[in-house]
Amino acid sequence: MKNNIYSIGIKQSLTIIVLSVFISLVFNFFRSAPLPIVGKWDVESRLTTDAGKSMVISFDDAVSLFEQNAAVFVDARNVDQYEYGHIKGAISLPWHDLQERFMDVLPEIDPDMPVVTYCDGESCSLSHDLALFFKDMGFQVYVLVNGWSVWKAGSMPVEVKAQ
Amino acid sequence: MRKTKDGLNIAGNRADKVILIIHYISRWILGIVFIYASYDKILYPEQFASAVYNYQILADILINITAIVLPWLELILGIFLIFGVFVPGTVILINFLLVIFTTALVFNLYRGIDVNCGCFSAAPGATPADIWTVARDISLMLFSFYLFFYTFIKRNDIQGSFKKIYS
């Protein structure tokens, strides 16, 4: 009997999984905007707007904006990471505190300048989410992919926490 | 010996009754939590897909299918738990999912990746994952382990109560 209950359990688990897959696919199929079964999650696709325009800025272009003081750099990582080290002059606006922090940060952002958002890591999506938010607010916005790492690697000016 | 409406046999024994009451409480709590967790994700699969992506654990090809199927799996498991349908199967899957969810959370907290939990709301920025999210998952696991223990491991040792349970 003891072995039996396990095999019953496993058979039932498989039945439940098959049922879920079936119901969810049918439901998804009849949604007004079905989610594609296989999505495009590579960096390029994620940073392309619905209009087909890429928001990615190259390191060199970001550097030239920085040197001409012609863009506002916004750090999308959390406050600890920002305090530990960030691009010189960058404003901290953690994606997770967006609602609380945005109104405080807004006066520091010149609306005539483009915004460059960044976080850290090739697949970090905080800067991307933040960029879409700025775009909806009417800003011209770019994403510097893997920003913190490439900035350090390029020996560009940073502000780091005093040890 | 008395038979409850979903076919459980209860011996008169008080210990068995306590076991059974906790069993029902666990099923109801987990059932409600799973149904509640599925709701927002079923409505907004795109946002949930982003949450899944942000965990950076699954291969890109598996992200959308997970975002489509997982919320429905949670809903069905929640309903089955509450109504006592396929209990052994449901208990296996609930345990499996909670272990996976908690591991994924702990793994990303350890890696220092700032993930949106995506646990109850799919909305970005709604609930950052932190140590409390892990604590909540672990407390849910206590209930699911309890169910697993008395559904599989201790099943034959208790007097009568679970002999004919759910099969």
Side-chain angles (χ1 to χ4, degrees):
Chain A
M1 275 309 274
K2 200 167 182 185
N3 289 328
N4 204 12
I5 187 70
Y6 285 101
S7 68
I8 290 171
I10 288 168
K11 277 180 201 155
Q12 290 180 350
S13 306
L14 294 176
T15 312
I16 295 169
I17 290 171
V18 170
L19 188 68
S20 309
V21 170
F22 179 74
I23 295 177
S24 59
L25 289 180
V26 169
F27 182 83
N28 186 56
F29 181 78
F30 287 107
R31 272 168 55 88
S32 56
L35 194 66
I37 304 296
V38 178
K40 289 185 178 141
W41 291 97
D42 55 300
V43 174
E44 264 314 304
S45 307
R46 285 189 307 114
L47 294 175
T48 304
T49 62
D50 293 340
K53 193 163 168 273
S54 175
M55 293 195 291
V56 178
I57 188 171
S58 68
F59 174 68
D60 293 340
D61 291 345
V63 166
S64 77
L65 284 178
F66 179 84
E67 284 171 343
Q68 293 160 32
N69 217 353
V72 182
F73 284 73
V74 179
D75 191 315
R77 300 170 302 160
N78 65 37
V79 176
D80 291 346
Q81 289 168 321
Y82 174 84
E83 283 176 353
Y84 189 74
H86 56 262
I87 292 178
K88 193 172 182 220
I91 294 169
S92 172
L93 183 54
W95 171 243
H96 287 311
D97 300 330
L98 184 64
Q99 284 164 356
E100 297 84 46
R101 295 287 307 277
F102 184 65
M103 293 318 280
D104 301 337
V105 166
L106 191 58
E108 298 174 44
I109 301 174
D110 182 343
D112 298 326
M113 276 196 193
V115 169
V116 178
T117 64
Y118 72 92
C119 48
D120 194 21
E122 205 48 60
S123 56
C124 169
S125 66
L126 303 171
S127 53
H128 168 227
D129 294 331
L130 193 60
L132 288 175
F133 172 79
F134 273 109
K135 186 171 155 289
D136 288 341
M137 299 291 289
F139 286 88
Q140 187 188 353
V141 60
Y142 300 105
V143 177
L144 181 58
V145 175
N146 197 10
W148 176 237
S149 295
V150 296
W151 202 258
K152 276 189 302 183
S155 306
M156 291 298 295
V158 294
E159 285 165 337
V160 291
K161 195 175 187 176
Q163 292 297 325
Chain B
M1 191 172 282
R2 190 161 65 83
K3 212 172 196 184
T4 64
K5 61 179 184 218
D6 46 353
L8 311 183
N9 289 318
I10 308 176
N13 183 320
R14 180 181 285 175
D16 275 12
K17 279 183 185 157
V18 172
I19 289 169
L20 202 60
I21 289 168
I22 302 176
H23 167 91
Y24 275 114
I25 291 173
S26 305
R27 262 171 50 188
W28 274 80
I29 289 177
L30 288 170
I32 291 168
V33 167
F34 268 71
I35 292 172
Y36 175 64
S38 70
Y39 173 74
D40 209 48
K41 298 176 206 161
I42 287 178
L43 291 183
Y44 306 107
E46 293 85 3
Q47 290 184 356
F48 183 51
S50 298
V52 174
Y53 172 81
N54 287 348
Y55 271 82
Q56 294 169 34
I57 288 174
L58 284 179
D60 289 358
I61 195 172
L62 296 174
I63 290 170
N64 279 18
I65 191 74
T66 304
I68 292 168
V69 176
L70 190 57
W72 282 93
L73 181 60
E74 289 176 344
L75 177 66
I76 290 169
L77 289 174
I79 293 171
F80 278 16
L81 268 182
I82 289 175
F83 290 99
V85 182
F86 280 0
V87 174
T90 309
V91 168
I92 289 178
L93 286 175
I94 291 266
N95 275 282
F96 178 72
L97 287 182
L98 283 174
V99 169
I100 297 278
F101 293 163
T102 311
T103 312
L105 271 173
V106 171
F107 181 53
N108 273 352
L109 283 178
Y110 176 75
R111 284 202 293 191
I113 292 181
D114 196 5
V115 291
N116 167 20
C117 172
C119 302
F120 292 101
S121 163
T127 39
D130 55 21
I131 198 74
W132 293 109
T133 327
V134 177
R136 185 184 62 202
D137 271 19
I138 289 174
S139 45
L140 290 176
M141 272 159 74
L142 293 178
F143 291 110
S144 73
F145 285 169
Y146 180 88
L147 288 176
F148 191 89
F149 187 71
Y150 281 111
T151 307
F152 294 100
I153 298 163
K154 197 86 162 103
R155 181 183 168 76
N156 287 337
D157 299 351
I158 42 179
Q159 300 181 358
S161 21
F162 288 78
K163 284 280 164 67
K164 285 199 172 173
I165 218 168
Y166 348 103
S167 43

